[in-house]
Structure formats: structure tokens, C-alpha cells
Amino acid sequence: MKNQLRDILEKLAKGEINVEQALEKLKFFPYEDLEFAKVDHHRFLRRDFPEVIFGPGKTDEQIISIAKKISEKEGNLLITKVSQSVYEKVKEIFPDAKYNSLAKLIYVKRDTSIKGKGKILVITAGTSDIPVAEEAYLTADVMGNKVEKIYDVGVAGLHRLFGEYEKVKEARVIICVAGMEGALPSVIAGITSVPIIAVPTSVGYGASFHGLSALLAMLNSCPGGVAVVNIDNGFGAAYLASMINRL
Amino acid sequence: MKNQLRDILEKLAKGEINVEQALEKLKFFPYEDLEFAKVDHHRFLRRDFPEVIFGPGKTDEQIISIAKKISEKEGNLLITKVSQSVYEKVKEIFPDAKYNSLAKLIYVKRDTSIKGKGKILVITAGTSDIPVAEEAYLTADVMGNKVEKIYDVGVAGLHRLFGEYEKVKEARVIICVAGMEGALPSVIAGITSVPIIAVPTSVGYGASFHGLSALLAMLNSCPGGVAVVNIDNGFGAAYLASMINRL
Amino acid sequence: MKNQLRDILEKLAKGEINVEQALEKLKFFPYEDLEFAKVDHHRFLRRDFPEVIFGPGKTDEQIISIAKKISEKEGNLLITKVSQSVYEKVKEIFPDAKYNSLAKLIYVKRDTSIKGKGKILVITAGTSDIPVAEEAYLTADVMGNKVEKIYDVGVAGLHRLFGEYEKVKEARVIICVAGMEGALPSVIAGITSVPIIAVPTSVGYGASFHGLSALLAMLNSCPGGVAVVNIDNGFGAAYLASMINRL
Amino acid sequence: MKNQLRDILEKLAKGEINVEQALEKLKFFPYEDLEFAKVDHHRFLRRDFPEVIFGPGKTDEQIISIAKKISEKEGNLLITKVSQSVYEKVKEIFPDAKYNSLAKLIYVKRDTSIKGKGKILVITAGTSDIPVAEEAYLTADVMGNKVEKIYDVGVAGLHRLFGEYEKVKEARVIICVAGMEGALPSVIAGITSVPIIAVPTSVGYGASFHGLSALLAMLNSCPGGVAVVNIDNGFGAAYLASMINRL
Amino acid sequence: MKNQLRDILEKLAKGEINVEQALEKLKFFPYEDLEFAKVDHHRFLRRDFPEVIFGPGKTDEQIISIAKKISEKEGNLLITKVSQSVYEKVKEIFPDAKYNSLAKLIYVKRDTSIKGKGKILVITAGTSDIPVAEEAYLTADVMGNKVEKIYDVGVAGLHRLFGEYEKVKEARVIICVAGMEGALPSVIAGITSVPIIAVPTSVGYGASFHGLSALLAMLNSCPGGVAVVNIDNGFGAAYLASMINRL
Amino acid sequence: MKNQLRDILEKLAKGEINVEQALEKLKFFPYEDLEFAKVDHHRFLRRDFPEVIFGPGKTDEQIISIAKKISEKEGNLLITKVSQSVYEKVKEIFPDAKYNSLAKLIYVKRDTSIKGKGKILVITAGTSDIPVAEEAYLTADVMGNKVEKIYDVGVAGLHRLFGEYEKVKEARVIICVAGMEGALPSVIAGITSVPIIAVPTSVGYGASFHGLSALLAMLNSCPGGVAVVNIDNGFGAAYLASMINRL
Amino acid sequence: MKNQLRDILEKLAKGEINVEQALEKLKFFPYEDLEFAKVDHHRFLRRDFPEVIFGPGKTDEQIISIAKKISEKEGNLLITKVSQSVYEKVKEIFPDAKYNSLAKLIYVKRDTSIKGKGKILVITAGTSDIPVAEEAYLTADVMGNKVEKIYDVGVAGLHRLFGEYEKVKEARVIICVAGMEGALPSVIAGITSVPIIAVPTSVGYGASFHGLSALLAMLNSCPGGVAVVNIDNGFGAAYLASMINRL
Amino acid sequence: MKNQLRDILEKLAKGEINVEQALEKLKFFPYEDLEFAKVDHHRFLRRDFPEVIFGPGKTDEQIISIAKKISEKEGNLLITKVSQSVYEKVKEIFPDAKYNSLAKLIYVKRDTSIKGKGKILVITAGTSDIPVAEEAYLTADVMGNKVEKIYDVGVAGLHRLFGEYEKVKEARVIICVAGMEGALPSVIAGITSVPIIAVPTSVGYGASFHGLSALLAMLNSCPGGVAVVNIDNGFGAAYLASMINRL
């Protein structure tokens, strides 16, 4: 490898190739080392997404310290799964920060431009799934999408879902949030042909085993078109939905 | 205890009470010992149910040997989850025995009287659930019920289920057989008000974990009216359904 | 589809068919769309059941807000698995609401008519299973059933169970609540021939794994006639028992 | 409900409303019954997708019987996870059927038009993941997508992945197939900003627990943009990728 | 059954048999109904064991109420896994009750007679296993056994165990308490030939999964002579050890 | 340490202590090194137990090779969980070897003396548990115990168990073998006061999870006096029972 | 055994062998009893490692009491996973004790000599893994190693890892701490050839199942050179790394 | 990034720096892109390790095809976990290939130079663990280490282990292979101070859950100095041991 590199450099030093040719050669250099810089450039392109701080497992101090660094940058901000007390401290750094107590989400939305091409729909099976759904809703919103929500239309009362069928039809991507038997994504998949991101929730007790029942059900969803994210991961679902919605 | 018993017997011996009174006293004997005889009598009443031999874990020899003893009795017979080779040997003992190769079920139906008051409906989510459903269907049939079946109406195509809604309405008990995400019982429960016995099946692969996904989903079924039996236990579901249908 | 629908409507508009014929045609409309209305009608019939709010996973605010909407309706009410503090707020909306602190159940029983045909019996294996049993007992009661209870008759002392055999015999449906080894439903099933709804409880420690041991035991119950609901789901058992008891 | 329906029909019969108005009213009919017809129409639109028969859990007879019905229709066909022996029989019905013995996939590709807007890339971590990847590759191909593949670029030798970075950059959707530690999707997600569908495989032994290790790893993928389908579900991943690629 | 019973009673009434003969016949009555009384008598014999109230899952009120009933009886008393606050209330009923705060055990030891024939030895692997070991030690003591203890002699420092080999040799039954890798019972079994009751503890963190690691290890103990009770079940181990020690 | 040892030896060499004193000192040598010899001696005492070769995981060659070495010793022999083909080869070495095809157990019983003080009773819940029970029965027999068996008396028909109550009463140790719900040990424990060794079996299907259901149930057995060995470990139960029976 | 021992001692007493010969004979004494003393001596050699008190499962009193005994010895000290309140009490015994509140680790570092031959590198995937990493870092430091750390270089941003490649290259042993998908050790193993000790952390939520996802991923690490310790066991990783670094 | 690169190249083209200086600069290039080449170089250094083909999950064809490519290179070769039939084909390519049928390992050992500094010791708890141990033994051997083995010295007979204490003392790294209760590594760790790599095996049945019991036990090993690889992963243990032994 090093010899190949030396060859290129020596040709450049000898004037046998010019700088542009050297750059070009390095671009297709084995193992794409310079491509790796593009990776980074690539990440630059992604800057259109807001900054995100994942709250779980971090101390308040760590969160505030990361927030401070970010505060020098522009753009939107999300801090996930944190308590009200963190919000109080964050507000001192970002006076325009808001807090959704159900989702335990801090968000700063300065950039309100719409980047997604269609609508993202967030559906929940039950009332108890709303905290996770709100995390998804707000994340999708802050990431520059038009977002709709339909809550509490689980399989126990499918007529309520069918009553909202217009909204389902209009969505470009659907985030489907459900705990317990986690059956809703399968039903939705049967009546639409857009991608569905299923979010199992830890809602339930006993044999729900903190979301395992919904998770397994969703992974085994019979109709095509469903993929699954982690239990309670409203953020992850919305982030993926945003990616898809920008395609 | 023994003294109380001796008292009763001595009173009887002395003629202070008669045999009927002794029997009555023994009936309310502490710890209901004689009631236990009623238990047995009770089992007699249940003789209306066919004889059943559970196949799994038994050697062919054990099954044939039990079948021989039963052959002296009248009434119907079921042998569950056995191979064709067992059937060949059973046919020599019960020439009128039949074999359902999907359900791996041997059955003898001599008594064709109807004992259930309404109709039992067996529904499956998919084609692959049919072996378990057939076990349930034939068990319910041999136990003296009117039985209907609707196969392959899973949540991926609910319109097929709704297309059979008349049958659903007419059922007095529903046996709902589903693997993978196990969502069908929840949907059925949302559109009927009769008891639903959910049978998870080991159909599926990967994260179905041999029926665990469907089992957990069914246990977490959000709408009321659903109870669950063991994975692949079509027999157990039909037996319970028969009990309910005779109420 | 829509064209088929338009055809029917145009024939009606032209007088080629009358309203009854149109209704009939719509009844057999492909995919039973109008049958779906019957589904709803069907749900109407179920209004005889009390309103239920499942507490777990809902905020106090959500529970109160749902309760307020329901307060305009008549009939009984159940709010499951909620704390005393919720009760205080609910009492302001429903002054006749009562609270069972063991079951953590709020209930309003205005309609005291008996709708079930026989008696529902609630049995527990141990003293520690009583909270779940009380949830079942009260639910069955508020749903219009005659209900009996026998507590603390687990397999460690079967003579206590046999001592209550009269009660067992009189039941039309049995709800059997047990934690730890979950053996009681199997024993009960051996001495009765009525449907048994088994409720595993999270009672126990160590290898009970929060009710998993009892759940698995009950699913593997050897004698027929047993179906299982979720761990600690006294409500679900009683709801299903009520359905069966109304047959 | 029925009365509401009768009202509309009677108004139409009496000429109080015209057919269009009746249709409009029915469109907003409670519980969207007629919308449900649109659901079906919607499914019609989806007919652009090939017919699919899921092999697992079906008998050879069932598969052939379903294939026969389908043979009257046009379009492409996929039969998943079946043995060579099924293929021999299917070839008699579909003489142009092909078989991929690694993926255990039968496919008929008559319609070769490209329906996806970009390229789908299928990546595997190891050689042993290829069967699942081939299922995904062929499914995506038969569903009308341009598909690329990069096999055996797992985290043990990331330079091989970076050597193929050009291909990664060009993809619109990425299907990432990995067993064992399931780390590849996380790495890919760190260097792209397109949706990644992760497919855990049952490749491995011991503590891979038949794909559980890869499944859990993928569900916990730290960078955003990853969703997961069932273990070994190459088909499901490709179906979802096709949906996304048509957006 | 009832006829057989009537026969016996009629023969007695007619003087064909006397009371003793009737009793004898009833003793060997089919299904041993009267033997069941012996069962109860049998339990009487067991009254030599102290009264026990299992704390977990019971409210303080339930425990106190049961304690009150027991207070009328003589003999020793154990209340397991309860807090100091329960003890305060129990002391009012049983002024001679003592509390071991490590084991969370209340005990009353009035009967100090030795009923076991040999010595019971309680061994722990680590310091953190002591609470469970103390539950076993005190239970065995209150049940009338000579008890020894050797704490903190786990496999990390076997020389400490061998340093206490004399004590090990003298034991008639060994209770071996260990968390984490649960290896100690296997080692002990290799150097003794007396029964070993292994008690896994929930000591540890991470992949100990609340005692599962120790439980599985102990169940798989290679040398013979080891049986296992529930995680943290010091009481159960001591109760069984007492039974064995009285043989 | 070595210095301490040298001291003792030097004192012996100098005649300051005699051999007996040296032995005594070494006996109390730190870390009981010489005690360890007693351990071995202790093992000698255990030679009264038959030689055992555990079959699972060993190649036929390994088993035969170990058997050959043992063939030079006297006494009984057990080879567990091996196929008929191993037996054919073992018979050439031990012409008096017998094979129980249910238990897959080879045994040589030359020493027929009775070493256990009482009777060991082997009980099974079902017919399918017999292979494991036979392993226990034969092991206990070859180890020099009087052994009784009662098969197929599970909780589904407790009257059969009570019908054998005399046998239960006479046992000094009970081995209770059950699969599925594993409830039998709890019931037995409620009617006896002798030690019960519970053996879960892998009998069952679906949610029995290869014996896990029975294992967990037995570990959570509510009445005292029950300890558990590994799933299907009839040998281990009988070995422990033999130890207890020799006390 | 004892006879063999007596033989040696008698020969020594008779002068047939001298002390050195006796020692030599005892050294090769069957079962190496005297070698066992060497074991202890061996432990002596290990005294170079600091004293360690594992906090979890111990009461504050137990920890303080052990600490007091140790305080008489020289050398360094570690007390793992304890709260600030324990530290307050320990500081009274060891005035030079320090406390790391992230790692919940008390440490006394009196001996600052370097015993490891190379550098140990501690890497974390995320910020939330830092508490476990600090436990490893401080342990390795107190055990006499040169230690480096690189935090927050998970697979979501591999360029950050490559940016620290110099440090990676210089390490002799690497401790790699990661939660969630646990992919980092596999990546590190692909770019180095030194031993990697992987520490899964309980960081994450939902399907991380308290570290199970990372644990399984690490156990299935595809590239060679990775071994795993318990979840959150920073101490154990550092202790093993110290052993390796002293080789 | 690209600009920095262009700067370096332009300076080189202008003669402001020479080729060596350019190479040096690129070496410390941000994100270590050229360092990545070193990574590869690094891999070169690792070429001292033999080529390895992991068998599981690969078809015979894939293995042979990879083997053919490798056959052009020099050095040793390992093919893990393959059947005799693969060996027959490999022998045609590598006539000097050997096959160990216990370990199911093909190996070619041309380079017999010793690269490890000390001795690697492979210990097994039982006879059934030998296949995994042989995989470790041969791998370590082919990788250029002096290797010793001690088989069948499990905790059931620790005197056998202590009888081999000399060998234990001489090892520089220990690979400890055990199934069932997996206790051996903890015992070994208590008597040595060298790194121990624990390999759980799937030996056992029932609650060993295919090696889970041993895996969990080893992860929870109380004494320090133990790290764990995947179940049955003899190769991985030996590879890591070789790395450590070359330090």
C-alpha cells in the first residue's frame, strides 16, 4: 500500500503527473482512504438534520456540557428522554427550548423549513403509547416534515382506524406505535402500500415483558412493508422516516 | 377425623340413623372425602367426551397398548399428534379409525350426536396454521359440536375476514389459530362478543421463536374476551370450546 | 368497487330497484362493507358491559379526562390498576365510585341486574394472590354476575380445596388465580367439567420470574378445559368469564 | 347504522339527493365503510408487485395448489424458502421459473420493467450470510429494482467495505445482512444518510442463539437510520426496500 | 363408587359387618377417600415443625392477622422476608419474637428441643450471600437442629474451604448458598458424600440476571448429590434439610 | 508455608517429635493440606456406590474405553443415556450388562446387597415421563435401595394418586418425575413429610420449552420439602435419594 | 494416602531419607497436597495487586468492617460500586482515599510504581459508557499500569476512532467498553493485533435488555482476539488487562 | 480535508517538501486516512498468523473455493468445524492437510516455528468437553505455541486438578473449557495469576440450555482474571491466547 502511495507521490514530485491527477489517483486509491474524507463530507451534507443528544445513561452534567458546545452552532436541537430538571438547565442555554413532558423531550426549533417531500403519519394503538408517539411526532416535526397523528386506534376497535382512513391514505411514511400485542402495524400494512416503521412500546404488564411481546409480534409481521426499531424508540423511527421522506 | 367417621358408622350400626342419612352425613363429611367419590361420578358424567390419547412423548407401543384397553369401551376416540405408522397399527384395533395427516390425528367417530348448543368456529390466520386448526376442528367435531372453519384470513388481508363476517356472527365460541405476530384474536375480539380461545402456532421462523411471538401477543391481547392455550394445542382449544358450548 | 356501488345507487335512483333491494344488495356487497356496520351494531349489543378504563401506562390526567367523557353515559364503570390518588379525583366526577385498595380498582355499580346465567367462582392458591383475585371478583360482580370466592386453597393443602368442593361444583365458570408453581388450575380441572380461566400472578420471587413460572405451568396444564390470560390480568379473566356466563 | 344507511338510500330513491351526493355521503359514512372499498382498490394499485408464496410451514401440495391459481395471472412470481423438490413441480406449471439454491427461492421474472427510482444495495457481513442476501437480492430484482451487491465486508475487515464506498454512496436504500455480532448496519449508518434495512441472520453458533445476538444488536443500533426485519427475512427487507425505492 | 359405599353401609346397618370391619373396608375404599383423613392426620404429625408465614406478596395487615390466629397455638414461629416495620407490630403479639435484619426474618423460638439427628451445615460462597444463609441458619435452628455455619469460602479461595474441612466432614446435611457463578455446591459435592441442598442467590449484577446464572450452574452440577431450591430460598433449603435430618 | 513444613520435618528428623506427632501437626497444617488426603479417603468410602459413566457428549469410543478400565474393578456399573449400539459393545466387556431401552441405561448389578435404610418411591405424572423415571428407578435399585414405582398419577387425576396413598406413606424418600406443568411434587409435598426430589422432564411441546415450564414450577413449589435436579436427570435424583436413604 | 504419608515420615524419622528428600517426595505427593501450599505462596506473589472489596450485595457495615482489617496492611485499595455515603465512612479509616462518583469507586493509591510493561487503553463507544470505563481506568491505574483513554468513539462515527489511531496502535492491551449494539470491540479487533477485553454495559433501553444485546454481540465478535467479561464489569476487565500487561 | 490534502500535494509538486516529508505528513493526516494503510500494513504483520476459514454456515463449495485461493499463499491453514467430507476435498488442494475428527478441524502446519513466549495450557472439566478443547489445542499449536493439555479435571474431582498443579504453574496463558456448571475457570483463577480464557461448551442437557448455564457462570466468575469467549469457540480462545502469548 505504502509503495503505491510513494509511487504516486514520486510521480508528482517528478512532475510526471500534476496535482489534479494525483488527487484523482488518490481518490481511487485502494481501500478508498481518501474517500473516507468524503464520508466526512457526506456527514456535512447531513448537517441538515438537527443536533441530537440522547439522554438515557448520561448525567445531567454531561447533557448540559454537550448542549453548551452545540449552542454555538445553528439549527434545531433535540434532547431525548430527559427529566423536567434537565430542561430547566437547558433553558438557560437555549431560551427558546421547549419541553414535552409526555415524551420527556427537549426541542429547539429554529429552522422551520419543510425538507420532507410528503407527510409522515404517527399512529398509536392505545392512549398509553402516546409518550413514545409524541417523541416520534416532535422529532419528525423538528426534522422538517409535515406530520399528522392518529392516536388510540388499536385493533380492539378497528372501526376507529377505518374512520381515519383518509389520513392513512395521504401518508408517505407511517410510524406505527403499539405495545401489548403489537398488532397494529400488521393491520396498517394490509391496507396501505407505504413503508411502515413499527415502534414497540413497553406499555403493558405481565407477559408483555416490558415490550418484548410487541417487539416479537412486529418482527413477525406477516404482511410485507414493516420494519422495526427498538422498544420505545420514537426518535429512531422518526429519524428513519425523515430520511425516507426526503428521498 | 376417624372418630367422626366412627361416630357415623356406629350410629348406623345402632340404627340411630339409616343408610340414606349416613350417606347424607358422609356427603358433608369434613374435607368432603365422600364428595370425592362424586368427583369421580362427576368424571362419569364427563364420559360423554371421547377417550383421548395424547401422542407426544409416548412410544408407539404405549399408544397401542392404551388403545387396546380403550377398545373395549364404547364412544369416540382421539389420538393426537401421531405419525401415519401409528395409525396403521391402530386401524387393526379400531377398523373404523380415520387419520388426518395434516393434524396428525387419529379419530374414531361412532357417536355422531350433537351435544354442543351452538356452533364452534375455527379461524386461521394463514395456510400454515391449518394443521393445528384441523386438530381443533376434528376434535370439536368428534366431541359432538357443529363446527365451521374459515382459513387464511389473517390481518394482512382483513377484507377476507370481513367477507366471512356472517360466519363469525353465528359462532357461539371461536377458536382462533395464528402463528407469527398472532394478531388475529385481537381483531376478532374487536368485532364479536363471544368467547375466543386463541391458539398460538409454531408457524414462522427467526424471531417467532417457535411460537413464542404469537403466544406473547395473544396473552397481551388488548380487547377483552380472549384466553390462550399452549402453542400448537388445537386439541386443548377444542376441548375447552366444547365445554363452553355445552353450557 | 366504487363502480359497483354507483351501479346499485343508480338503479335505485332510476327506480329499477327499491330501497329494500338496495339494502339487500349492499348487504352482500363485495368484502361485506355494509356488514361492517353490523359489526358496529354488534358492538352496540355489547353496551351491556360496563365501561372500562385500563389504568396502566396512562397518566392521571388521561384517566380523569376519559372518565369525564364517560360520566355522561349511564351504566357501570371500572378503572383498573390505579392508585388511591386517582380515586380521589375520580370520586369528584363519580361520587358513587368505590375503591378496592388490594385490587387497585375503582368501580361504579349503578346497574345491579344479574346478566350471567350461573355462578362464577374465583379461587386463589395463596393469600398473596388475593389482589388479582379481587380484581377478578369485582369485575365479574360489576358485570352482572353472581360471584363466589374461595381463597388460599393451593396445592400445598388440597384438603382445604376439597373442603369447599360444594362451591366448586356449583360454579358455571371458574377463575383460578395462582402464582409460583401455578398448579391449582390443573388440579381444579381434574375435578370439574366447567371452563377454567387461569390467571398466573407475579406472586413469588427468584425463579418465578415475575409470573413466568406460573404462566408456563398453566399453559402446559395437562387436563383439558384450561385457558390462560396475561399475568395478573384479573380483569381479563372476569370479562371472559362474564361472556361465557351469559351464553 | 343501518338506519342511517336506509335514510341515505331513501333520500336517493325519493330524488332528494342524486347519485353523486349519495356517493359523497357514503364516502363519509360513519366508520368509513365505503372507504374500505378504496382499501381494496388500493390493493389493486399494489398489483404491480409480484405474487408471493411464503414457503415455510406450507406442504408441497399447498404451495403447488396456490401456484396453479396464480398461474392464470400475469406478472412475476416469488416462492420463498422452498426445497429443490418443490421447484421441480413448480417448473411444470411455470416453465420459465428459476431456482436459486442458496436462497432456496423460486422466481419467475416476466415483467422486467424498472419500477424503483434508485439503486438498492445488498451488503453482507460474511460469506455465510449470502443465502439470506441472495433472497433479498433476487426479491428486489424481481420487484423491478436496479440492485447491487457487496458481500463479505464485515466489521472484521472494514477496509474491504471502504474499498467499495462508491457503491455505498450510490445506493438509495441499503439492505444490510449480518449474523453473529450484527455490527455492520451500525457502521454503514455512520457513513451514509440513506435508509438502512437490517436483516439479522441465524448465522453463528453458541451465544448467537440462532440470530438473537444479531437481532438485538441491530435493534440497539446507535446511529439513526436503521430499522430491522425478522431473522433471515431477506424477502421482507427487499419488499420494504422496493416500497421505499418507488417513493 | 357411591354404590360400593352404600353396600358397605347397608352391610353395617344389617349387622353383616361390624363398625371395625366397616372402618377397615373404608380404609381400603377405592381412591382411598378415608386415607385422605390420614393425610390430615399426617399433617398433624408434622405439627412438630414451627408455624411459618411467608412474607412476600402479603400486606402487613394480612401478616399480622395470620400471626394473631397462630398466637393461640404453641410452638415456634417463623415469618420470612419481612421488613422491620412488620416486626414492630408482630412484637406486640409475640413479645418474645426476634428479628434478624439481614435475613429479614422474624422468629419465635419457644421450643428449644433438638429434633434433627445430626448437624446441618450452612456454607456461603461470599459475604453477600449471608442474608440468604442467615435465613437458612435461623430456620434450621428454630426447626430444632444443631446448625453450623461457614461463610465466605467461595471457589476464588478454596484453601479457606479446605481450612474448614473438619466442619464439612461432620455435617449430616449441607446447605450451600452461592450467587454469581454458583460453583460452590459442585466443589463441596466433590469432597463429601452427604446430601447438598444448593441455594442460588440473586447476588451479583449484569449477566447474573438476578440469580439465573447461579441457578443454572447448580442445576447442571456435575458431581451427584446436589439438589436445588428457588433463588434466595434459604427457608426452603432449611426446611428440606430439617426433614432429611430427622430421618 | 514451605518453611512451616520444613520445620515439622526437621523436628521429626531430629527426633524432637515422633511420627504420630508429625502426623497430628500435619493434620492441622494450615489450609488442611493433609485433610485433603482424607477427602480422598472419603471418596474411598463412597466406593460403595457403583461406577457411573455419563453418556451424553461422549463418543462411543470414549465410553467403551472408560468401561474397559472399570471392568477390572468389582461392583455395579451404570452407563446413562446411551443408545442400543453402545450396549452391544459394552456387553462384550460386561457380559452380564443389561439395557433398559426406555431409560437408555446400561447397568450391571453384581452387588445386590441393600444399603438404603428405607424405601425410595418413584412417581410420575404421566406415561411420557416414564423414561426418566426408569432411569431413576434403576439407578436407585443398582445403588442398593428398595425401590417402588407409581406411574401416571398426575394432577389431572388425583384420585389415582390417592388410590396409591399407602405406597406414598411408606416411602422414606420420594422422587417425583413430571413434565408439562410440573405440579405433582407440590401436591405430593402437601400430603407427606419426607424429602421430595423433583425431576422436571422435557415432556411436552410448545410453551413447555423443553422442560423449562416444569423446572420453574418445581423451583417455585409452594409447600416445603421439595428440591429440584436438572431436567430429565433421573440419575441425579436417584443418586441423591440414595445418599439420603443411607443416612 | 495417610499410609503413604506415614511411610515418608517414618523414613525421615529413621534417617533413611533426609529433610530435603522428604520435602521433594512430599512435593510429588499424590494429589499434590503440599503443592497446595505453593498455591498459597503463589497467592503471596499476587499480593502485588491491591486489596479489593467488591461492593455490590454487601451492607455498608460489612464493607467498613472489611476495610478496617485491610487498613493494617500496606498497599493500594479498591472498593467497587459503592455510594458516596460509604466513601464518607471509609475516609475516616483511609484518609487518603479518593472517590470517583461516576464509577462509584473508592481507591487508595499509595504504591505508584509501574508494574505493567506496556500501555492499557480504555475505549468507550459512547458517553453513557463512561462510568464503567472509569472503573476500568482507575482499576488499571491503581494496579500499576500506564493507562490511556479514548471515550465516545462508537461505530456511529468511526472517523473519530480512526482519528485516535495512534493511541490504539500504542496499546499493549485494549479494554473496550460499549453498550447497545456492542459493535466497537469487533471494529477495534479488525484494526489491531493486541488482546481486546470487551466490557458490555447496561447502557441502553428496550431491547438492550440491561446489557444483554451488547453481551451477545461481543461474544459473537467475528474477528479473533476478543474476550468478554460480565456486563458493567470494568473492574474485572482491568484486572485481567493488568495480568496480561505484566506478562 | 481535501484542501489539506491538496496543500500537501502542491507543496510536493513545488518541491517545498520531498516525498519522504509528504509521506510523513500524510501519516499524520487528519482522520488518519493514510494511517489506515498502516492498519493494512498492520494486518500484514499479522500474517504471521495462519489463514483461517470458519466453516459454520458456509457450503462445501464456498470453503473449497476459498481454500483454493489461499493455496497460493504460504503458511499454515485452519478450517474450523467442518465434516470429514470437506476434508476429503481439501486434501486434494492441500495434500499435507490433516483432520481432527473430534474437533472437526482441518489443519495444515508447514511453519513449525515457535512464536509464543511461554506455554499455553488447555484444561477441560470433562471428557465431553474434549472436542472444543482439541480445537483450541490444535489452533494454538498451528499458531506457533508450545501447548499442554490436562483433560477431565472438573470440580467434581478437584484432587485430579491439584495432581496436575505443576503444569498449571508453568502456563503463561490458560484456556479453560467447561460445560454444565462451568465452574472450573473460577477454581483455576483462584490458584494461579495468569490470564484465563474461559470457553463454555454446549455439553450437557436440560437446563444447560446448550451452553447457556456454563456461559453465565463464567461471566459471573468471582475471582478476577477470567474472560469468556463464545460457547464452543475453542478457536477464538486459542487465537486470543496466541496473541497474549506473543506479547
Side-chain angles (χ1 to χ4, degrees), chain B residues 58-65 83 85-86 89:
Chain B
K58 297 209 178 68
T59 63
D60 287 13
E61 288 66 36
Q62 289 173 330
I63 291 168
I64 301 305
S65 146
S83 66
S85 70
V86 175
K89 292 175 199 153

Side-chain angles (χ1 to χ4, degrees), chain D residues 34-53:
Chain D
L34 295 186
E35 279 311 308
F36 201 65
K38 274 183 212 152
V39 172
D40 194 64
H41 177 63
H42 199 79
R43 287 185 65 84
F44 179 84
L45 292 176
R46 267 208 282 173
R47 276 196 329 206
D48 248 5
F49 282 93
E51 295 286 338
V52 182
I53 306 172

Side-chain angles (χ1 to χ4, degrees), chain D residues 79-85 87-88 97-107 128 130-135 138, chain H residues 57 59-62:
Chain D
I79 309 178
T80 64
K81 298 192 200 295
V82 285
S83 67
Q84 176 89 21
S85 69
Y87 172 58
E88 303 303 335
K98 285 184 186 148
Y99 185 66
N100 181 298
S101 64
L102 276 175
K104 295 183 174 295
L105 187 82
I106 300 170
Y107 58 103
S128 313
I130 291 177
V132 176
E134 284 288 289
E135 186 182 288
L138 284 166
Chain H
T59 63
D60 287 13
E61 289 67 36
Q62 289 173 331

Side-chain angles (χ1 to χ4, degrees), chain H residues 198-211:
Chain H
V199 191
T201 70
S202 54
V203 163
Y205 61 88
S208 86
F209 296 123
H210 310 293

Side-chain angles (χ1 to χ4, degrees), chain H residues 108-247:
Chain H
V108 179
K109 189 179 174 181
R110 293 165 180 167
D111 176 359
T112 59
S113 64
I114 294 301
K115 294 173 191 77
K117 294 188 183 155
K119 225 180 251 181
I120 293 174
L121 174 65
V122 182
I123 306 185
T124 77
T127 308
S128 313
D129 302 314
I130 291 178
V132 176
E134 285 288 289
E135 186 181 290
Y137 180 89
L138 283 166
T139 299
D141 178 73
V142 172
M143 284 183 171
N145 297 284
K146 275 175 267 171
V147 202
E148 284 276 5
K149 54 187 171 189
I150 315 178
Y151 288 174
D152 197 18
V153 291
V155 292
L158 279 180
H159 56 286
R160 286 178 303 197
L161 172 62
F162 294 137
E164 303 271 13
Y165 186 64
E166 283 299 315
K167 278 190 192 168
V168 174
K169 264 188 336 179
E170 288 167 21
R172 197 164 182 246
V173 191
I174 295 174
I175 294 169
C176 187
V177 182
M180 301 173 78
E181 76 266 71
L184 192 56
S186 294
V187 170
I188 304 282
I191 61 172
T192 71
S193 57
V194 297
I196 294 165
I197 304 165
V199 191
T201 70
S202 54
V203 163
Y205 61 88
S208 86
F209 296 123
H210 310 293
L212 181 64
S213 60
L215 171 62
L216 293 183
M218 288 168 176
L219 285 166
N220 285 284
S221 180
C222 175
V226 178
V228 187
V229 297
N230 194 4
I231 296 164
D232 291 339
N233 191 5
F235 168 80
Y239 183 46
L240 178 57
S242 298
M243 273 186 175
I244 295 172
N245 197 27
R246 291 187 188 189
L247 286 181

Side-chain angles (χ1 to χ4, degrees), chain A residues 1-2 5-6 9-10 12-13 19-20 22-23 26-27 29 31 33-34 36-38 40, chain H residues 1-2 5-6 9-10 12-13 19-20 22-23 26-27 29 31 33-34 36-38 40:
Chain A
M1 195 71 55
K2 222 164 181 175
L5 181 61
R6 182 186 297 271
L9 295 182
E10 281 177 348
L12 176 64
V19 167
E20 290 317 307
L23 274 169
L26 286 172
K27 189 176 168 187
F29 194 77
Y31 307 134
D33 292 318
L34 295 186
F36 202 66
K38 276 184 212 153
D40 193 64
Chain H
M1 197 73 55
K2 224 166 179 174
L5 180 60
R6 183 187 296 271
L9 295 182
E10 281 177 350
L12 176 64
V19 167
E20 290 317 308
L23 273 169
L26 287 171
K27 192 174 166 188
F29 196 77
Y31 305 136
D33 292 318
L34 296 186
F36 203 66
K38 276 184 213 154
D40 194 64

Side-chain angles (χ1 to χ4, degrees), chain C residues 1-2 5-6 8-10 12-13 19-20 22-23 26-27 29 31 33-34 36-38 40-41, chain D residues 1-2 5-6 8-10 12-13 19-20 22-23 26-27 29 31 33-34 36-38 40-41:
Chain C
M1 199 68 58
K2 220 164 182 177
L5 180 59
R6 182 187 297 271
I8 295 169
L9 295 182
E10 280 176 350
L12 176 63
V19 167
E20 292 316 309
L23 273 169
L26 285 172
K27 191 175 167 186
F29 195 77
Y31 306 133
D33 292 317
L34 295 187
F36 202 65
K38 275 184 212 152
D40 194 63
H41 177 62
Chain D
M1 196 71 56
K2 223 165 181 175
L5 181 58
R6 183 187 296 271
I8 296 169
L9 295 182
E10 280 177 349
L12 176 64
V19 166
E20 291 317 307
L23 272 169
L26 287 170
K27 191 175 166 187
F29 194 77
Y31 307 135
D33 293 318
L34 295 186
F36 201 65
K38 274 183 212 152
D40 194 64
H41 177 63

